[in-house]
Amino acid sequence: MIQKRFLSIFALVFCFISVTAQVEERIQKPTEEKEKGSFGQRIFVGGDIGLSFGTITYIKLAPEVNYRFTQRFSAGLGPIYIYEKYKDLHFETSTYGGKVVASFTVFKGPEEGGAIGLGAVTLHAENEVINVERVYIDRGTIPYSFYTENRIWIDNLLLGAGLIQPIAGRFKAAIYILWDVTQSDFSPYSNPIFKFGFYY
Protein backbone atom coordinates (compact mmCIF):
# COMPACT_ATOMS: atom_id res chain seq x y z
CA MET A 1 0.00 0.00 0.00
CA ILE A 2 2.76 2.42 0.98
CA GLN A 3 4.79 1.55 -2.12
CA LYS A 4 1.78 2.20 -4.36
CA ARG A 5 1.11 5.52 -2.63
CA PHE A 6 4.77 6.54 -2.89
CA LEU A 7 4.84 5.67 -6.61
CA SER A 8 1.58 7.58 -7.15
CA ILE A 9 2.98 10.70 -5.47
CA PHE A 10 6.21 10.36 -7.45
CA ALA A 11 4.21 10.09 -10.71
CA LEU A 12 2.12 13.15 -9.76
CA VAL A 13 5.28 15.17 -9.16
CA PHE A 14 6.56 14.47 -12.65
CA CYS A 15 3.15 15.12 -14.24
CA PHE A 16 3.20 18.45 -12.41
CA ILE A 17 6.62 19.13 -13.90
CA SER A 18 5.36 18.96 -17.47
CA VAL A 19 2.26 21.06 -16.69
CA THR A 20 4.21 23.83 -14.93
CA ALA A 21 6.81 23.87 -17.69
CA GLN A 22 4.05 24.46 -20.27
CA VAL A 23 2.32 27.12 -18.14
CA GLU A 24 5.58 28.97 -17.49
CA GLU A 25 6.43 28.95 -21.18
CA ARG A 26 3.09 30.61 -21.96
CA ILE A 27 3.33 33.32 -19.29
CA GLN A 28 6.85 34.39 -20.17
CA LYS A 29 7.20 37.90 -21.50
CA PRO A 30 8.46 38.19 -25.08
CA THR A 31 11.69 39.79 -23.87
CA GLU A 32 12.26 37.26 -21.09
CA GLU A 33 14.54 34.37 -21.97
CA LYS A 34 14.05 30.92 -20.55
CA GLU A 35 16.44 30.03 -17.78
CA LYS A 36 19.57 28.56 -19.27
CA GLY A 37 22.21 26.47 -17.62
CA SER A 38 23.92 23.15 -17.70
CA PHE A 39 22.71 20.11 -15.77
CA GLY A 40 25.15 20.92 -12.96
CA GLN A 41 23.98 24.53 -12.70
CA ARG A 42 20.37 23.41 -12.24
CA ILE A 43 21.24 21.11 -9.33
CA PHE A 44 21.22 22.52 -5.81
CA VAL A 45 21.61 20.86 -2.43
CA GLY A 46 20.10 21.66 0.92
CA GLY A 47 17.63 20.29 3.43
CA ASP A 48 16.70 20.84 7.04
CA ILE A 49 18.41 20.13 10.35
CA GLY A 50 16.78 20.01 13.77
CA LEU A 51 18.73 20.09 17.04
CA SER A 52 17.53 20.21 20.63
CA PHE A 53 19.37 19.10 23.78
CA GLY A 54 18.44 18.87 27.43
CA THR A 55 15.60 16.91 29.02
CA ILE A 56 14.54 16.04 25.48
CA THR A 57 17.21 15.36 22.88
CA TYR A 58 16.05 15.75 19.29
CA ILE A 59 18.32 15.43 16.27
CA LYS A 60 17.02 15.53 12.71
CA LEU A 61 19.13 15.25 9.56
CA ALA A 62 17.29 15.54 6.23
CA PRO A 63 19.59 16.54 3.35
CA GLU A 64 18.21 16.97 -0.18
CA VAL A 65 19.43 17.00 -3.76
CA ASN A 66 17.13 19.10 -5.96
CA TYR A 67 16.86 19.85 -9.67
CA ARG A 68 15.44 23.12 -11.02
CA PHE A 69 13.25 22.11 -13.97
CA THR A 70 12.02 25.65 -14.69
CA GLN A 71 12.48 29.09 -13.14
CA ARG A 72 9.56 28.35 -10.84
CA PHE A 73 9.50 24.58 -10.30
CA SER A 74 12.02 22.29 -8.61
CA ALA A 75 11.90 18.77 -7.21
CA GLY A 76 14.27 16.46 -5.42
CA LEU A 77 14.79 13.68 -2.93
CA GLY A 78 16.87 12.74 0.09
CA PRO A 79 17.22 10.58 3.22
CA ILE A 80 15.77 11.29 6.67
CA TYR A 81 17.10 10.39 10.11
CA ILE A 82 15.52 11.45 13.43
CA TYR A 83 16.79 10.57 16.91
CA GLU A 84 14.75 11.30 20.05
CA LYS A 85 15.64 10.73 23.69
CA TYR A 86 13.44 11.58 26.68
CA LYS A 87 15.76 11.67 29.70
CA ASP A 88 13.13 11.72 32.46
CA LEU A 89 11.18 8.86 30.87
CA HIS A 90 14.24 6.71 30.08
CA PHE A 91 13.05 6.35 26.52
CA GLU A 92 14.77 6.77 23.16
CA THR A 93 13.84 5.99 19.57
CA SER A 94 15.01 6.62 16.02
CA THR A 95 13.28 7.13 12.70
CA TYR A 96 14.77 6.72 9.23
CA GLY A 97 13.65 6.68 5.60
CA GLY A 98 13.48 8.93 2.56
CA LYS A 99 11.44 11.69 0.95
CA VAL A 100 10.46 13.26 -2.36
CA VAL A 101 10.00 17.05 -2.35
CA ALA A 102 8.56 19.58 -4.81
CA SER A 103 8.36 23.39 -4.72
CA PHE A 104 6.62 25.89 -6.98
CA THR A 105 7.45 29.62 -6.74
CA VAL A 106 4.27 31.67 -6.65
CA PHE A 107 5.94 35.08 -6.20
CA LYS A 108 9.58 35.62 -7.14
CA GLY A 109 11.93 37.49 -4.84
CA PRO A 110 13.63 40.79 -5.76
CA GLU A 111 16.80 39.04 -6.96
CA GLU A 112 14.71 37.42 -9.72
CA GLY A 113 12.82 40.55 -10.68
CA GLY A 114 9.84 39.95 -8.42
CA ALA A 115 7.94 42.50 -6.38
CA ILE A 116 8.18 40.70 -3.03
CA GLY A 117 10.95 42.27 -0.96
CA LEU A 118 11.28 39.46 1.60
CA GLY A 119 12.21 36.65 -0.78
CA ALA A 120 10.39 34.09 -2.90
CA VAL A 121 7.04 32.70 -1.76
CA THR A 122 6.62 29.03 -2.65
CA LEU A 123 4.09 26.23 -2.43
CA HIS A 124 5.81 23.16 -1.00
CA ALA A 125 5.03 19.43 -0.82
CA GLU A 126 6.91 16.51 0.71
CA ASN A 127 6.07 12.82 0.72
CA GLU A 128 8.04 10.85 3.29
CA VAL A 129 8.30 7.08 3.62
CA ILE A 130 9.80 6.42 7.05
CA ASN A 131 10.42 3.50 9.38
CA VAL A 132 9.24 4.13 12.96
CA GLU A 133 8.80 2.22 16.20
CA ARG A 134 5.20 1.76 17.25
CA VAL A 135 5.23 3.72 20.50
CA TYR A 136 2.46 3.40 23.09
CA ILE A 137 1.97 5.40 26.30
CA ASP A 138 0.98 3.70 29.55
CA ARG A 139 -1.06 6.43 31.25
CA GLY A 140 -1.62 4.27 34.33
CA THR A 141 1.79 5.18 35.69
CA ILE A 142 3.19 8.47 37.00
CA PRO A 143 5.19 9.64 35.17
CA TYR A 144 3.79 8.04 32.04
CA SER A 145 5.85 5.14 30.72
CA PHE A 146 6.41 4.15 27.10
CA TYR A 147 6.64 0.78 25.45
CA THR A 148 7.28 -0.13 21.82
CA GLU A 149 6.38 -2.89 19.41
CA ASN A 150 7.79 -3.92 16.04
CA ARG A 151 8.91 -1.21 13.63
CA ILE A 152 6.62 -0.32 10.74
CA TRP A 153 6.83 1.76 7.54
CA ILE A 154 4.50 4.74 7.26
CA ASP A 155 4.18 7.60 4.81
CA ASN A 156 3.57 11.25 5.62
CA LEU A 157 2.30 13.74 3.05
CA LEU A 158 3.27 17.26 4.11
CA LEU A 159 1.73 20.24 2.31
CA GLY A 160 2.19 23.95 2.86
CA ALA A 161 4.05 27.10 1.86
CA GLY A 162 7.40 28.72 2.49
CA LEU A 163 9.56 31.80 2.19
CA ILE A 164 13.04 31.50 0.65
CA GLN A 165 15.47 34.33 1.36
CA PRO A 166 18.82 34.77 -0.45
CA ILE A 167 21.79 35.19 1.92
CA ALA A 168 24.88 35.41 -0.30
CA GLY A 169 25.40 34.18 -3.84
CA ARG A 170 23.63 30.85 -4.29
CA PHE A 171 23.22 30.36 -0.53
CA LYS A 172 19.60 30.70 0.65
CA ALA A 173 17.65 30.18 3.87
CA ALA A 174 14.06 28.94 3.95
CA ILE A 175 11.21 28.66 6.41
CA TYR A 176 8.17 26.46 5.75
CA ILE A 177 4.82 26.01 7.45
CA LEU A 178 3.53 22.54 6.61
CA TRP A 179 0.60 20.32 7.52
CA ASP A 180 0.76 16.54 7.85
CA VAL A 181 -2.40 15.58 5.97
CA THR A 182 -2.01 11.81 6.49
CA GLN A 183 -2.25 12.08 10.32
CA SER A 184 -0.69 8.68 11.10
CA ASP A 185 -0.87 7.65 14.76
CA PHE A 186 2.87 6.99 14.69
CA SER A 187 3.98 10.13 12.86
CA PRO A 188 6.86 12.02 14.52
CA TYR A 189 5.12 15.33 13.69
CA SER A 190 2.35 17.41 15.23
CA ASN A 191 0.54 20.07 13.19
CA PRO A 192 1.44 22.72 12.23
CA ILE A 193 5.04 21.84 11.30
CA PHE A 194 7.65 24.61 11.16
CA LYS A 195 10.74 23.71 9.15
CA PHE A 196 13.94 25.69 8.66
CA GLY A 197 16.16 24.81 5.73
CA PHE A 198 19.21 25.93 3.79
CA TYR A 199 20.03 25.60 0.09
CA TYR A 200 23.06 26.11 -2.08
Side-chain angles (χ1 to χ4, degrees):
M1 179 69 179
I2 289 176
Q3 290 178 343
K4 289 182 180 178
R5 182 181 175 87
F6 186 75
L7 290 173
S8 297
I9 295 294
F10 199 72
L12 284 173
V13 166
F14 284 98
C15 287
F16 190 59
I17 290 168
S18 60
V19 171
T20 55
Q22 292 174 13
V23 169
E24 182 162 323
E25 193 170 315
R26 290 177 184 171
I27 64 174
Q28 275 183 325
K29 296 176 183 178
T31 57
E32 182 182 5
E33 294 184 3
K34 290 184 69 176
E35 182 182 17
K36 296 179 180 179
S38 66
F39 180 81
Q41 291 173 325
R42 288 174 174 261
I43 290 179
F44 60 99
V45 296
D48 59 287
I49 298 174
L51 294 173
S52 176
F53 299 99
T55 304
I56 299 175
T57 299
Y58 178 87
I59 301 172
K60 179 181 180 181
L61 302 173
E64 299 171 15
V65 177
N66 294 273
Y67 183 80
R68 184 172 290 104
F69 290 90
T70 71
Q71 290 181 350
R72 293 181 182 268
F73 182 77
S74 64
L77 47 82
I80 300 171
Y81 177 76
I82 301 173
Y83 172 79
E84 297 172 272
K85 182 177 180 180
Y86 299 83
K87 186 177 180 181
D88 293 345
L89 301 174
H90 307 289
F91 173 75
E92 62 183 316
T93 185
S94 60
T95 299
Y96 53 84
K99 63 179 178 178
V100 175
V101 301
S103 290
F104 181 79
T105 301
V106 180
F107 300 106
K108 294 182 179 181
E111 78 285 354
E112 297 176 336
I116 304 297
L118 295 176
V121 177
T122 65
L123 297 178
H124 188 78
E126 299 187 12
N127 192 72
E128 302 179 342
V129 176
I130 53 178
N131 187 278
V132 300
E133 286 186 291
R134 290 190 289 179
V135 179
Y136 298 92
I137 303 174
D138 183 357
R139 299 185 185 276
T141 61
I142 299 176
Y144 295 154
S145 60
F146 293 79
Y147 66 94
T148 61
E149 292 186 357
N150 295 335
R151 300 185 70 93
I152 59 171
W153 287 94
I154 64 171
D155 70 321
N156 297 320
L157 179 59
L158 312 179
L159 301 176
L163 183 67
I164 301 177
Q165 176 67 49
I167 303 296
R170 292 184 58 181
F171 187 70
K172 300 178 181 180
I175 181 171
Y176 297 102
I177 302 175
L178 304 175
W179 196 267
D180 182 358
V181 299
T182 46
Q183 295 285 290
S184 169
D185 291 338
F186 303 105
S187 172
Y189 306 113
S190 58
N191 291 320
I193 304 163
F194 294 92
K195 296 182 64 175
F196 299 92
F198 299 93
Y199 299 98
Y200 180 79

